[in-house]
Amino acid sequence: MDGIIDKTHGAGGSATAELIRDIFREAFSNDYLEPLSDSAVLPPADGKKIAFTTDSYVVKPVFFPGGDIGRLAVCGTVNDLLMSGAVPAYITAGYILEEGLDIQDLKKIVCSMADTARESGVKIVTGDTKVVEPADPGEPGLMINTSGIGFVDISTDISPANIRPGDAVLVSGCLGDHHAAILGSRMSIKNNILSDAAPLVCMVSGLIGSGICIHAMRDITRGGLATILNEFSSSSGLHIRIEETAIPVSEEVRGFCGILGLDPLYMGNEGKCVFVLPEEDQDKALDIIRRSPYGEKAEVIGKVTSDPADVTMRTAIGGVKIVSPLYGEGLPRIC
Amino acid sequence: MRSCALWKSYRSGVMKLSDAAEYLKEYKGRELRLMEVCGTHTAGIVQNGIPSMLSERIRLISGPGCPVCVTVTEYIDRLIALSHEPGNVIVSFGDLLRVPGSAGSLNQARAQGADIRFVYSPSEMLTFAKKDRYRTFIFAAVGFETTAPVFASMLSQAEEEGIDNIRLLTSLKTMPKAIRRVSDGIDGFLAPGHVAVIAGTDAYKRLSEELGVPFVVSGFTGKELTAALYALVRLAGKEEAGFLNLYPRAVKSGGNGKARAAVRSFFEAGDAAWRGMGLIQGSGLYLREKYIKYDAGSRNLDMDRNVKGCRCSEVITGKCDPGDCPLFFTKCTPEHPVGACMVSQEGACFNCMKNRI
Ligand code: SF4
């Protein structure tokens, strides 16, 4: 199937059927999708709790260094499920295609979704397609919504309310990569920064499976690490102190941020998360994270204390500053 | 001269960061009010936690070097009016979109349907303009000596390629005269490093002699800022004037001649209104007659309306702290800014809020 997307592809007639057959069904094929009926009928949950999430992806450009909107749409939802302690199982895919989109580009994006779903161990079980006029006729794109279902053990309880004084704070790798990759490509800046969009299934299931009691975890997306730590601090009523020198940021992202006046603490990733867990488990956890895919650069970056709720950072030159949540917007959308 | 000895110890590496930091923390001399002129310095100081490293006798005051903060409301109003004219597209750096004019901000105009785009580099506007020749793209050209060359180079590219559907609404300003305006009660200045890269240091040497207070040009890293503050406190503590360039890797005394020549060829000096400071003669840059076809009506945008209770003018001139403003963190927050100093990442109120100092 070639050419570009036009209104007929969203009209529900033969062009829609062709699109579904040749692009989506071909890439995603599985038993639940196959009947192509109005809804996917899934097996019973087996005594587990069900985690259910949804997110929409509108990033431009749709292809960027290190990934594309399709990989992002699967990783985002898979990681959201993981963060509640769920094992991701099924996701849906809703497409809003802009007229003029190259069908080969759509195919690439759909294949990338299929690959990422396979890597994450999830099935794409149902979907929808609509066609709209392009916002910018010079650059027709697409938007994707994914919803996901995962299963959580009855005993699992991961919540910032469980954070205790003395807990260690870990991040799974370098901050800011996705954000910098998107900004860089929007601004046509040549560098080697790649988006870190990745599903963290092995890392998180490895930690949970090892019996480590994770008190809180969150994937570091919009708002950055600073905003998440502030949420952790206010929901637990505890103080979080981090060390600037321990926070992993690649040399290239650091340079990029320096030029644009950006702060990696406020930048989004799509394949990094922050964990808060008991200090006695910190070394074991660090080892598990570093040995899982996408976790080689993990570090312990700080500690929870019983001081009044706030987030502070000891800076590289020995000052102390308050780390506030992200204020305002300022930056373009990155997911 | 004292400043020479300081400079030598810095160059030879004798002045260690830890020594400088200890001196600043333990300083017991006369009370000092030091002004960092440049908004990027304000942000760097907060970023590095420097206020926590200073003796109580040292107070840092943010100066008028945040371009968005010193933009008057009439300029914003004019941009908004232009944005509603059919066929116009406004292009701007991000921060400006949220700055309140006398009735609303560019963001609000955008929500009402105006085509307003936010870019990181003015050259992106040329790409838009080439793609869409039937619309006029107007850049909100706000900035100081540092930003002016970027606009000059954009215009020279437009000239070369014959791109005629671009305009600038300029609010470009030059620094030295504004520093003189706010110098009352200030014991020393961290001179704006970026500005000095382009404009050179001669003007600051002269100002230092004229005002009888020290000026130290600083870089932007935590170490550079600490070293510069150390030097400034050493000089100001002894009430010595003096000029030091502690950013020599980037700043030459004559500045960047090429960039200055480019600016001179497109722009000429004129009077400019600064928010909170009024009209300062010859402190603005405007397109020359020869290039007036690129101007979107930038002259005489002098009116400045402050919201009742807002103390932006005093904050910008160092006469009060953000915390003294009754609207600070009550009515005026980064999400709902009342004054420009709460909008910009370089603004005094935003940074004060961020560090809750
Ligand atoms: S708090 Fe807001 S209103 Fe008050 S001086 Fe600062 S910016 Fe102006």
Side-chain angles (χ1 to χ4, degrees):
Chain A
M1 200 177 173
D2 279 320
I4 55 171
I5 292 293
D6 59 44
K7 278 275 165 62
T8 63
H9 292 107
S14 61
T16 313
E18 194 188 2
L19 193 68
I20 293 174
R21 192 186 60 231
D22 290 1
I23 308 272
F24 300 117
R25 186 177 179 183
E26 161 121 5
F28 298 151
S29 127
N30 62 63
D31 293 349
Y32 305 109
L33 176 73
E34 211 42 54
L36 294 180
S37 46
D38 285 341
S39 50
V41 179
L42 307 169
D46 233 0
K48 305 234 173 173
K49 293 188 276 189
I50 293 173
F52 187 24
T53 186
T54 187
D55 208 342
S56 302
Y57 300 83
V58 297
V59 68
K60 279 201 169 159
V62 294
F63 295 100
F64 45 81
D68 57 71
I69 190 171
R71 181 166 173 81
L72 201 63
V74 175
C75 293
T77 291
V78 162
N79 290 341
D80 280 350
L81 290 170
L82 287 168
M83 293 306 119
S84 18
V87 176
Y90 308 109
I91 64 176
T92 69
Y95 296 86
I96 298 185
L97 308 176
E98 290 185 339
E99 263 180 300
L101 177 70
D102 187 326
I103 291 181
Q104 284 307 316
D105 282 349
L106 175 63
K107 204 166 181 175
K108 267 191 235 156
I109 289 164
V110 169
C111 287
S112 160
M113 285 183 83
D115 289 343
T116 314
R118 223 168 288 127
E119 184 188 350
S120 319
V122 297
K123 292 188 164 62
I124 297 176
V125 292
T126 186
D128 175 55
T129 311
K130 295 280 182 308
V131 176
V132 296
E133 278 166 22
D136 173 3
E139 199 193 343
L142 77 164
M143 290 164 252
I144 304 177
N145 172 277
T146 52
S147 297
I149 287 177
F151 300 109
V152 193
D153 274 342
I154 293 286
S155 59
T156 302
D157 171 28
I158 297 172
S159 143
N162 299 336
I163 297 174
R164 296 283 170 269
D167 280 358
V169 181
L170 288 78
V171 294
S172 68
C174 293
L175 301 185
D177 297 12
H178 177 69
H179 209 138
I182 297 289
L183 281 186
S185 71
R186 286 170 66 128
M187 295 163 67
S188 318
I189 295 178
K190 293 234 168 351
N191 57 31
N192 298 319
I193 301 173
L194 299 180
S195 161
D196 55 5
L200 301 176
V201 183
C202 289
M203 182 187 297
V204 175
S205 58
L207 277 177
I208 293 179
S210 74
I212 290 175
C213 172
I214 301 169
H215 287 163
M217 65 177 156
R218 197 66 66 78
D219 55 338
I220 307 172
T221 54
R222 279 182 300 170
L225 179 66
T227 307
I228 298 172
L229 293 180
N230 273 280
E231 281 166 29
F232 283 179
S233 166
S234 59
S235 23
S236 65
L238 296 168
H239 189 102
I240 298 176
R241 164 65 73 94
I242 56 174
E243 298 288 326
E244 184 170 30
T245 48
I247 298 172
V249 180
S250 75
E251 274 311 310
E252 264 172 328
V253 169
R254 204 179 288 283
F256 182 83
C257 290
I259 295 167
L260 293 181
L262 300 170
D263 184 344
L265 283 183
Y266 296 91
M267 291 169 71
N269 296 266
E270 291 293 339
K272 298 289 156 49
C273 54
V274 50
F275 301 97
V276 182
L277 39 83
E279 193 185 11
E280 60 268 25
D281 291 332
Q282 109 184 8
D283 295 338
K284 186 173 161 196
L286 194 60
D287 189 52
I288 293 172
I289 300 170
R290 283 190 179 158
R291 279 193 285 112
S292 22
Y294 314 114
E296 317 84 75
K297 299 267 166 57
E299 291 291 346
V300 176
I301 60 154
K303 232 177 145 41
V304 178
T305 76
S306 52
D307 292 334
D310 218 336
V311 181
T312 55
M313 174 162 92
R314 206 175 40 175
T315 65
I317 59 164
V320 175
K321 71 164 189 172
I322 288 170
V323 178
S324 56
L326 177 70
Y327 287 128
E329 7 126 23
L331 299 163
R333 259 194 276 278
I334 52 156
C335 59
Chain B
M1 211 175 116
R2 187 102 211 160
S3 51
C4 259
L6 270 172
W7 166 230
K8 275 192 193 133
S9 68
Y10 176 79
R11 268 300 273 270
S12 61
V14 176
M15 192 209 291
K16 286 207 200 74
L17 178 70
S18 53
D19 295 346
E22 192 186 323
Y23 179 84
L24 289 172
K25 188 85 210 170
E26 300 302 325
Y27 172 80
K28 294 198 174 61
R30 72 184 187 109
E31 298 226 354
L32 296 176
R33 286 165 53 86
L34 306 176
M35 179 175 273
E36 85 276 358
V37 174
C38 175
T40 318
H41 279 158
T42 305
I45 285 167
V46 168
Q47 179 75 5
N48 286 286
I50 290 179
S52 73
M53 299 165 65
L54 303 178
S55 138
E56 278 180 358
R57 294 178 167 260
I58 306 170
R59 269 194 56 200
L60 294 182
I61 293 154
S62 304
C66 151
V68 168
C69 306
V70 293
T71 301
V72 292
T73 48
E74 193 177 1
Y75 176 81
I76 304 287
D77 296 346
R78 169 97 186 126
L79 274 176
I80 293 173
L82 286 168
S83 80
H84 289 307
E85 283 174 21
N88 282 352
V89 180
I90 305 291
V91 185
S92 160
F93 296 129
D95 271 354
L96 205 64
L97 302 192
R98 303 197 304 128
V99 175
S102 62
S105 65
L106 284 169
N107 253 352
Q108 283 160 339
R110 180 156 72 170
Q112 289 159 7
D115 191 344
I116 299 171
R117 304 182 192 175
F118 129 52
V119 294
Y120 273 92
S121 147
S123 64
E124 290 177 60
M125 180 165 93
L126 293 183
T127 319
F128 298 152
K130 278 195 273 190
K131 260 202 207 159
D132 188 351
R133 302 305 287 240
Y134 296 105
R135 291 205 280 173
T136 305
F137 292 80
I138 304 168
F139 204 100
V142 168
F144 294 117
E145 287 93 326
T146 31
T147 331
V150 183
F151 294 116
S153 98
M154 180 181 87
L155 288 176
S156 74
Q157 194 185 335
E159 282 278 285
E160 253 168 50
E161 299 184 25
I163 305 171
D164 53 7
N165 54 334
I166 61 159
R167 305 280 179 276
L168 300 184
L169 189 72
T170 61
S171 174
L172 293 168
K173 296 181 165 73
T174 52
M175 199 50 102
K177 289 181 173 137
I179 296 182
R180 189 178 294 124
R181 182 71 65 95
V182 297
S183 61
D184 224 20
I186 301 293
D187 302 303
F189 290 90
L190 269 191
H194 286 150
V195 169
V197 172
I198 306 292
T201 55
D202 296 344
Y204 299 109
K205 268 186 216 154
R206 279 198 300 276
L207 268 177
S208 164
E209 280 160 25
E210 179 193 323
L211 302 171
V213 296
F215 275 70
V216 177
V217 180
S218 171
F220 297 89
T221 66
K223 277 186 194 167
E224 288 167 336
L225 283 163
T226 313
L229 277 171
Y230 167 80
L232 196 57
V233 172
R234 287 287 296 263
L235 293 168
K238 298 210 159 51
E239 294 184 61
E240 272 184 55
F243 169 83
L244 259 183
N245 175 10
L246 291 190
Y247 193 34
R249 63 186 164 92
V251 177
K252 306 282 168 266
S253 69
N256 179 338
K258 241 174 143 183
R260 287 169 70 179
V263 171
R264 258 198 314 273
S265 69
F266 285 97
F267 298 99
E268 63 190 7
D271 301 347
W274 295 57
R275 176 168 263 195
M277 299 162 69
L279 204 69
I280 304 181
Q281 268 186 358
S283 69
L285 289 173
Y286 298 93
L287 282 164
R288 288 181 183 280
E289 196 48 48
K290 189 173 164 201
Y291 299 107
I292 210 71
K293 60 179 182 199
Y294 293 115
D295 187 64
S298 313
R299 290 191 188 246
N300 303 319
L301 299 175
D302 300 338
M303 271 219 304
D304 195 20
R305 278 206 201 102
N306 268 353
V307 171
K308 215 170 148 236
C310 158
R311 296 184 69 180
C312 286
S313 357
E314 291 153 274
V315 168
I316 290 164
T317 48
K319 293 201 183 81
C320 88
D321 285 334
D324 300 333
C325 170
L327 308 184
F328 182 72
F329 204 30
T330 52
K331 268 206 186 131
C332 183
T333 63
E335 276 75 26
H336 301 286
V338 173
C341 336
M342 189 57 97
V343 175
S344 168
Q345 309 271 338
E346 300 189 344
C349 296
F350 177 82
N351 278 289
C352 190
M353 166 84 223
K354 222 176 148 194
N355 211 28
R356 281 169 264 155
I357 1 180

